[in-house]
Amino acid sequence: MKTLIFYATKHGATREAAERIAKRISGATLHELKRSDIPALTEFDCVILGSSIYIGSIRKEAKTFLAQNSEVLKNKKFGLFLCGLQADEEKQLFASNFPSDILAAAKATSFLGGIFDPKKAGFMERLIMKIVAKQSVYNDKIDNVQIERFVEEMKS
């Protein structure tokens, strides 16, 4: 089965999660949505879309991709994943960022965690993380167990 994994990332955590997924799916192709050369979805049996969450919203590139391809996706085997540090808000984040018909058609949806890297964060992001989340050092919270579950759901 030919699999295409699209991702939209701000600081690289979603790329990292997409790469970890791709290592578990033989022959998977990765594509960052910021690039303009979007591969033809018709050439793939399975499509996975991942996006980082920032202030409760998925990346603009992911929104645009969904708006342009939702009908094609509903007729394919596809999955959705989100990356961020607010895992306790998973259901609300999926519901507020994806149309209900897309969520219903998805083979798998998963919140995979995220990474906080103060070197990649802006001043305000560092300040918010320090005050709200009590984090000021590098922290990789990408959940490999969730990645395994997601991949198994996509393979079944």
Side-chain angles (χ1 to χ4, degrees), residues 132-151:
V132 176
K134 311 284 190 259
Q135 289 187 19
S136 58
V137 297
Y138 180 89
N139 192 354
D140 181 341
K141 289 192 172 191
I142 293 180
D143 189 338
N144 287 312
V145 172
Q146 280 299 101
I147 289 174
E148 287 294 336
R149 285 185 189 138
F150 180 77
V151 168

Side-chain angles (χ1 to χ4, degrees), residues 11-13 16 20 85 114-120 135-142:
H11 296 302
E16 176 65 29
R20 292 182 194 186
L85 297 173
I115 296 173
F116 174 66
D117 185 348
K119 292 178 184 173
K120 293 181 180 178
Q135 289 187 19
S136 58
V137 297
Y138 180 89
N139 192 354
D140 181 341
K141 289 192 172 191
I142 293 180

Side-chain angles (χ1 to χ4, degrees), residues 122-135:
F123 173 76
M124 287 304 293
E125 291 170 312
R126 288 192 309 271
L127 183 63
I128 290 167
M129 288 300 289
K130 187 174 185 175
I131 293 170
V132 176
K134 311 284 190 259
Q135 289 187 19

Side-chain angles (χ1 to χ4, degrees), residues 45-77:
D45 306 304
C46 178
V47 177
I48 296 171
L49 172 63
S51 178
S52 59
I53 289 287
Y54 187 71
I55 312 175
S57 293
I58 61 174
R59 306 282 306 151
K60 180 178 71 172
E61 310 90 86
K63 288 179 187 178
T64 301
F65 175 80
L66 272 175
Q68 294 171 347
N69 298 288
S70 62
E71 291 306 313
V72 175
L73 290 175
K74 287 190 278 188
N75 295 307
K76 286 208 170 278
K77 183 177 191 177

Side-chain angles (χ1 to χ4, degrees), residues 56-111:
S57 293
I58 61 174
R59 306 282 306 151
K60 180 178 71 172
E61 310 90 86
K63 288 179 187 178
T64 301
F65 175 80
L66 272 175
Q68 294 171 347
N69 298 288
S70 62
E71 291 306 313
V72 175
L73 290 175
K74 287 190 278 188
N75 295 307
K76 286 208 170 278
K77 183 177 191 177
F78 82 99
L80 301 166
F81 72 89
L82 296 175
C83 288
L85 297 173
Q86 51 283 63
D88 57 330
E89 301 173 24
E90 176 179 356
K91 288 183 181 177
Q92 188 271 331
L93 289 170
F94 274 101
S96 65
N97 282 285
F98 299 102
S100 57
D101 58 337
I102 288 289
L103 288 173
K107 174 100 174 134
T109 60
S110 190
F111 192 90

Side-chain angles (χ1 to χ4, degrees), residues 5 17-25 81 112 147 150-151:
I5 304 169
E19 288 170 352
R20 292 182 194 186
I21 290 168
K23 287 178 184 174
R24 292 163 171 86
I25 299 175
F81 72 89
L112 303 179
I147 289 174
F150 180 77
V151 168

